[in-house]
Amino acid sequence: NISFAWTSTVENCESFSTADKLARYAMLAGVSYTSYQLQMWLAVEEYCDILEYEDGGTRPSVCQGVDTDISALVAYKTKSCEGNKDFTRYFSIPARDYTTNKYKNIMMENIF
């Protein structure tokens, strides 16, 4: 029964000494801090994985695992995508004939 467990916990807390309460608060603070650090580390690792993927498999130098400097990671500038410069011809093929308002058949062999 949950209500019994709650009331018995509250009644038990009232019987704790001040030192016991401080010890429990210290333990709660330690668990909270550890949980926060774990969540932060997971977020940093996920962001580093995204940066690694965007850079073609090269992990950024600022990503050092647990020792990653978060301010350096936030300030990290990603490489800009310059695109593929191998394309020299661009085609604009309308998909609809506006005089008859019908779709055209696009023959792929005529493009190349």
Side-chain angles (χ1 to χ4, degrees), residues 53-91:
Y53 174 79
E54 288 176 349
D55 198 20
T58 305
R59 196 149 182 96
S61 60
V62 294
C63 295
Q64 300 294 326
V66 179
D67 298 326
T68 300
D69 182 17
I70 296 174
S71 59
L73 182 61
V74 170
Y76 179 75
K77 300 286 185 194
T78 59
K79 295 179 183 176
S80 62
C81 181
E82 297 181 18
N84 190 348
K85 295 182 180 180
D86 293 338
F87 294 106
T88 56
R89 299 185 315 174
Y90 298 96
F91 296 96

Side-chain angles (χ1 to χ4, degrees), residues 1-11:
N1 189 353
I2 293 176
S3 62
F4 173 73
W6 174 254
T7 56
S8 65
T9 303
V10 171
E11 290 170 2

